[in-house]
């Protein structure tokens, strides 16, 4: 559903027009210089802007041709429909012409027959618009400007009246020939000025073609409060129309209570044609019969009235009184007294009149029609001259029920808004109110509506000021608004339809204010609020806002006045040594659950700023009322290296979205962890114009990205480190290109998930319902039925909820964390559950396993088995069990798993079953490699991954394993004993093998397999490998057998020489360079080795072949791990690449290979660009969340315990840094949906005590770990004390925290 706010309708008599054209209801109205065409309460068909004029003044639709005519005071525009036959109805400009009168009166418009248009001002002119050029076919000068001029339905008569005129002039058409169009006229005298004219809609059987006449009936309304009905009752009279009847509006509604005075003397009238009344009555009676409607009295009353087929005149007042009069046989030559009768008289007919509207705003116009396809067929369209159009629907039995009713009309739509382009939209903290304002200093305060009646946004109040509005804050759900002007701040009360300025304060400040932000306070129920503004030079002012006490604000400041006021609280200067480019407030979101909670404001991000070089700073503000100051604290700093940002927006969940200078690249940063979560470049043809955040109650985020004519929404998702899936995904798009030519100016989120767009003077409200498409299922990785509708907040919660234990992500992370026993228990429990599972059964996400049992670490995690095992269930994951589960999952769709995830789960279980046989003889690292390498190969066979090699994470596990011989055998069996170099590179085996003899032996196996991989057995294929092994003679022997090769003779002759001699080294080098010129790079590297030039051979492998693994393997095999060439490659190529890409696994491996084990452990925690000297800034991907996966903490713990040197190397890592590392890992586990692993981490982590000597000198500390928690704010230097210490000194670093503080640190 979509609520449309097409703009504020003009306060003119012809601002609205509606007809039924070719079976479709069309409504056109004018707002500012925009022409708006709608097809229903929520169906905006098209908007046309007229930039060449200030405002339009009239509009009308031709029900015959569908043409729309509109005009300003000096120009008329004709629009012609097209596309109806193909289902895309639009209008295009056919022609326009200038008004020939230069007096600039407000013209009137009315369609006649055959596309004739009557334009009235000081002269009545009839134009023929069938061609591309207009032509005047008749005109007549008037004594004074016309107020109303309208054709009858058969176009045979024109009724016109001037301003403040009591004589209605009726023009009778004498000829329909365009070449000789003539009219004569007569007068209809009235006692007072005429205010309205209305032609009766003829009954359906009276076809109003110009060759067939109908009984024309005219209704006129006068200031004297009477409705006069004119009809052609006497064909021989001088006047064409005679007075048929009168209805006195004042007498029809008499005050029924004492004290009702003249303020409520206004009477309003609308007419229901006999055709619409009959159709609506028929639907009401049919619906009641189908539903066994039991309100017999109302139905019987309606049935009796409908028998007379009357036209109905309805008279109402502002107090809810309504009197309806039936007009039977209108225009009959012989009138009976009973032909005007009372249909109903009730006192509970309420329309939304504004009690405080100005005099002209009290005017109201009504339009009625019937929609026979609706169960509430009667529609009342009301144009309020205060700037609103309301759409109400009803059934006639409810409308005219004589008995009392709670509701007679159901509101369906409210069309209102601005008459100028919206400049900005600002929402309040809970999203239940917002304010929009324009460049002409007009502001509207809106409140969140109800979805049930279709009005998702309702106008609450309007304000107008003479000073430009720079920024706005909304308080108390839209009851108050604070406006910031150039040198003034003002407080407005928006509790009434017309907002009033209740307080203001002038100020002087150096620089132009950038923003207006609401500062958090410790007592949110106080009646005092604080707002601040900050300028370009980072100077600012804080004001105290005193609001009147209310039932929602029980705490009142002592001594403060209860009258609203504003006073300056303090000034400040926000400097941190960096030149700020801009500062933006972080929108505060107030959740109902947190409304009564005292908040530590230092934990809340109040604002964020950024520099020209792209450094982000998060700021929190704390009000000190006693000292009358505000304290600003920099809570976080993130270096993005994105220069000259064009847009930036921060969320309450400490996410910041940035747009680069070209407005095409979007990045999303987590300020709390300082990492990149999303990076995408959009088309340069459609730059990003604005960003807006929203958050759900469970603190998950959505980001609206605004372009010129469309808006897309990004949704936060779980982290996925195993598949490296995106952390954000586009899932919804809203386009307004087809309904308006004006670009989107701004947008805002409502608290219930609705989103408001502003384009020109129009606003569009999209509700929170999302229809699930097939693309969404793939992109969002969700298991929901396609075509189903889901609330947006529910969808976000689903995407970020905790994973079931059987999810492959949870199982995989459990294995990486070393929880192999629990992973086994989960798989066995899944098998036990699924054996008797049928579709439709509930599947427990925890598989009936207790949380406590999953948090208990068993001893001997590789060989232990659960104590509570079932004797009938297997104790291990066997091949048969894996096959059984696979067979079950082919038939059963597991809840919360997509099809690819279910396939992956089956593959993971199969990989675990494969490794289970040898788990007793492998260490944990070998098991990790075994399982994930097996799964990698399984997915390669299933073609479900594009990855051609295992991740460096798995390489590092194998590198630190003591069971590498088993892993080598695994790889050999995986490739059936025919391991080629591409297979070895895929497994990473030459990166993780530590034994030099095994390394050389496997490299020789690769050499043999490369030689025999083709039937011709080309020695060139294995040259590099044998020469790296320094086995030239073996290669020479292979060349002797290559008689088919034309290079045999020369190569064999050359290989017989001694390459320790300089001349033959030179010959080999010449051959190598010649091969480089021919782009035979691998063969060239072999000749470099033959010349003894390992450095050039490694360079060719690393650069020309772009194969770092081959370069490292050649260096290790040729010259050992202490080779200077290898060390140079690691230092100059591998480590800079790791730092540039943010690959911590590669960095820690390289440092360990270099023997720098202290740096190897620091590379797991500290920024890599601080450990490696780079000639250029690291890539933005180095700051990605993917560079900081949770498994790093498992390796960190291993390396700390591995050697004494590593223990010393951990000294530069402070306890505070280690604790932050743990918290960050716990947050990442939680963001992955693995909150159980996060809880397990912080519950079972044990710290190494860091003594003062250890921290300073790097000496080893006590080797026994103790379980404790390090405070996040560990002092950086020892605390000075004047007294002497007695006894054993107390520890200065470690402090056992309470359990609540531990869990609160990451959201449990």
């Amino acid at each position: 559903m979509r609520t449309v706010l097409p703009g504020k309708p003009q306060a003119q008599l012809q601002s609205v027009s509606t007809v039924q054209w070719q079976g479709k209801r069309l409504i056109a109205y004018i707002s500012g210089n925009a022409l708006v065409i709608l097809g229903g309460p929520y169906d905006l068909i098209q908007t046309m802007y007229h930039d060449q004029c200030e405002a339009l003044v009239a509009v009308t639709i031709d029900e015959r041709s569908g043409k729309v005519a509109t005009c300003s005071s000096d120009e008329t525009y004709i629009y012609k429909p097209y596309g109806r036959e193909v289902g895309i109805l639009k209008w295009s400009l056919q022609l326009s012409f200038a008004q020939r009168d230069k007096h600039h009166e407000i013209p009137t418009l009315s369609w006649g027959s055959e596309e004739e248009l009557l334009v009235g001002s000081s002269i009545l002119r009839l134009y023929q618009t069938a061609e591309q050029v207009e032509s005047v076919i008749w005109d007549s000068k008037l004594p004074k400007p016309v107020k109303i001029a309208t054709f009858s339905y058969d176009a045979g008569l024109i009724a016109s009246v001037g301003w403040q005129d009591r004589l209605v002039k009726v023009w009778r058409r004498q000829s329909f020939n365009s070449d000789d169009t003539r009219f004569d006229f007569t007068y209809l005298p009235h006692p007072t000025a005429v205010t309205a004219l209305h032609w009766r809609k003829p009954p359906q059987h009276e076809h109003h073609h110009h060759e067939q006449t109908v009984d024309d009936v005219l209704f006129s309304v006068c200031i004297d409060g009477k409705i006069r009905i004119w009809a052609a009752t006497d064909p021989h009279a001088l006047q064409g129309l005679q007075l048929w009847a009168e209805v006195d509006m004042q007498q029809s509604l008499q005050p029924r209570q004492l004290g009702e005075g003249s303020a409520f003397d206004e009477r309003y009238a609308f007419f229901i044609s006999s055709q619409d009344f009959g159709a609506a009555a028929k639907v009401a009676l049919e619906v009641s019969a189908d539903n066994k409607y039991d309100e017999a009295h109302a139905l019987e009353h309606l049935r009796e009235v409908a028998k007379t087929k009357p036209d109905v005149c309805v008279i109402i007042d502002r107090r809810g009184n309504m009197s309806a009069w039936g007009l039977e046989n209108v225009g009959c030559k012989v009138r009976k007294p009973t032909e005007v009768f009372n249909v109903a008289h009730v006192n509970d007919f309420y329309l939304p009149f504004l009690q405080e509207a100005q005099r002209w705003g009290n005017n109201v116009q009504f339009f009625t029609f019937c929609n026979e396809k609706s169960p509430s067929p009667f529609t009342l369209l009301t144009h309020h001259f205060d700037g609103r159009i309301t759409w109400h629907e009803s059934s006639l039995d409810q409308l005219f029920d004589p008995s009392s009713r709670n509701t007679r009309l159901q509101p369906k739509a409210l069309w209102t808004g601005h008459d100028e382009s919206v400049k900005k939209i600002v929402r309040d903290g809970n999203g239940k109110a917002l304010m929009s304002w324009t460049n002409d200093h007009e502001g509207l305060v809106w409140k969140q509506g109800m979805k049930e009646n279709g009005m998702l946004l309702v106008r609450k109040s309007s304000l107008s000021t003479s000073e430009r509005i720079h920024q706005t804050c909304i308080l108390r759900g839209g009851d108050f608004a604070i406006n910031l002007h150039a040198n003034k701040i003002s407080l407005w009360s928006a509790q009434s339809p017309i907002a009033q300025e209740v307080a203001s304060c002038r100020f002087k400040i150096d620089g132009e204010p950038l923003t207006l932000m609401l500062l958090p306070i410790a007592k949110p129920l106080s009646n005092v609020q604080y707002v601040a503004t900050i300028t370009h030079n980072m100077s600012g002012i804080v004001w105290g806002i005193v609001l009147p006490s209310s039932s929602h604000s029980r705490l009142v400041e002592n001594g403060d006045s209860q009258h609203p006021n504003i006073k300056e609280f303090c000034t400040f200067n926000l400097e941190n040594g960096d030149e700020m480019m801009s500062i933006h407030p972080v929108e505060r979101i107030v959740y109902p659950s947190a409304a009564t909670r005292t908040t530590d404001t230092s934990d809340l991000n109040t604002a964020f700023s950024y520099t020209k070089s792209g450094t982000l700073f998060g700021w929190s503000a704390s009000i000190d009322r006693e000292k009358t100051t505000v304290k600003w604290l920099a809570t976080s700093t993130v270096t993005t290296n994105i220069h000259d940002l064009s847009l930036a927006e921060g969320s309450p969940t400490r996410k910041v979205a940035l747009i680069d200078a070209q407005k095409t690249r979007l990045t999303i940063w987590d300020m709390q962890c300082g990492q990149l979560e999303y990076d995408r470049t959009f088309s340069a043809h459609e730059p990003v114009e604005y960003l807006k955040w929203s958050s759900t109650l469970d603190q998950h985020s959505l980001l609206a990205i605004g372009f010129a004519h469309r808006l897309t929404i990004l949704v936060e998702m779980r982290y996925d480190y195993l598949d490296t899936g995106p952390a954000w995904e586009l899932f919804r798009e809203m386009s307004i290109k087809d309904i308006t030519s004006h670009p989107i100016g701004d947008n805002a989120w409502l608290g219930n998930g609705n989103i408001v767009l502003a384009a020109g003077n129009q606003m569009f409200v999209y509700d929170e319902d999302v229809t699930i498409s097939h693309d969404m299922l793939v992109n969002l990785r969700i298991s929901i039925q396609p075509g189903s509708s889901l609330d947006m907040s529910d969808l976000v919660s689903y995407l970020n909820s905790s994973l079931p234990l059987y999810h492959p992500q949870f199982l995989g992370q459990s294995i990486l964390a070393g929880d192999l026993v629990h992973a086994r228990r989960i798989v066995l429990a899944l098998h036990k559950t699924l054996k008797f599972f049928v579709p439709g059964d509930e599947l427990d996400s925890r598989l009936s396993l207790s949380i406590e049992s999953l948090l208990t670490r068993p001893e001997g995690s590789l060989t232990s088995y659960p104590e509570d095992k079932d004797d009938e269930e297997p104790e291990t994951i066997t091949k048969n069990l894996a096959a059984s589960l696979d067979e079950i999952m082919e038939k059963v769709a597991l809840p919360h798993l997509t099809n690819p995830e279910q396939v992956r789960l089956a593959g993971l279980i199969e990989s675990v079953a494969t490794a289970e046989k040898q788990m007793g003889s492998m260490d944990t690292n070998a098991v990790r490699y075994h399982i994930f390498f097996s799964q990698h190969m399984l997915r390669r066979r299933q073609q479900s991954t594009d990855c051609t090699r295992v991740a460096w994470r798995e390489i590092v596990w194998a590198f630190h394993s003591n069971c590498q011989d088993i892993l080598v055998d695994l790889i050999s069996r995986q490739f059936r004993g025919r391991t080629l170099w591409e297979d070895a590179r895929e497994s990473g085996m030459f990166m993780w093998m530590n034994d030099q003899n095994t390394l050389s032996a496997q490299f020789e196996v690769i050499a043999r397999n490369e030689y025999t991989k083709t039937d011709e057995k080309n020695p060139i294929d294995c040259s590099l490998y044998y020469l790296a092994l320094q086995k030239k003679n073996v290669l020479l022997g292979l060349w002797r057998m290559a008689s088919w090769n034309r290079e045999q003779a020369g190569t064999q002759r050359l290989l017989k020489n001694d390459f320790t001699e300089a001349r033959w080294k030179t010959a080999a080098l010449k051959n190598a360079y010649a091969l480089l010129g021919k782009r035979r790079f691998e063969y060239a590297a072999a000749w470099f080795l033959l010349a003894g030039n390992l450095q050039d051979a490694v360079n060719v492998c690393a650069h020309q072949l772009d194969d770092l693994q081959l370069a490292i393997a050649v260096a290790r095999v040729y010259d050992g791990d202490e080779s200077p060439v290898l060390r140079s490659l690691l230092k100059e190529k591998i480590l800079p690449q790791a730092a540039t890409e943010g690959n911590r696994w590669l960095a820690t491996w390289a440092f360990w290979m270099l023997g720098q084990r202290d740096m190897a452990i620091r590379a797991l925690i500290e920024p890599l660009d601080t450990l490696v000297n780079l000639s250029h800034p690291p890539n933005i991907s180095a700051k990605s969340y993917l560079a900081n996966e949770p498994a790093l903490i498992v390796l960190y713990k291993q390396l700390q315990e591995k050697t004494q040197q590593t223990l010393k190397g951990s000294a530069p890592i402070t306890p505070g840094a280690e604790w932050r590392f743990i918290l960050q890992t716990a947050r990442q586990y939680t963001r992955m949906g693995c909150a159980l692993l996060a809880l397990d981490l912080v519950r079972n982590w044990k710290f190494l005590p860091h003594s003062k000597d250890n921290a300073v000198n790097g000496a080893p500390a006590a080797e026994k770990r103790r379980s404790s928690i390090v405070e996040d704010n560990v002092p950086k230097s020892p605390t000075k004390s004047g007294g002497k210490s007695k006894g054993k000194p107390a520890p200065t670093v470690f402090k056992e925290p309470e359990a609540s503080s531990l869990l609160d640190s990451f959201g449990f």
Side-chain angles (χ1 to χ4, degrees), residues 1104-1119:
Q1104 276 74 24
L1105 290 175
D1106 192 23
D1107 192 340
L1108 279 177
Q1109 285 202 34
L1110 182 60
I1112 294 169
V1114 168
R1116 295 186 71 188
V1117 171
Y1118 187 88
D1119 203 18

Side-chain angles (χ1 to χ4, degrees), residues 183-216:
F183 287 85
D184 61 8
F185 66 88
T186 58
Y187 289 103
L188 301 180
H190 292 72
T192 56
V194 176
T195 59
L197 295 175
H198 173 77
W199 289 102
R200 185 193 69 150
K201 183 178 181 180
Q204 193 169 7
H205 64 275
E206 299 183 15
H207 302 285
H208 45 276
H209 192 269
H210 68 263
E211 294 180 354
Q212 296 176 329
T213 61
V214 299
D215 293 332
D216 293 312

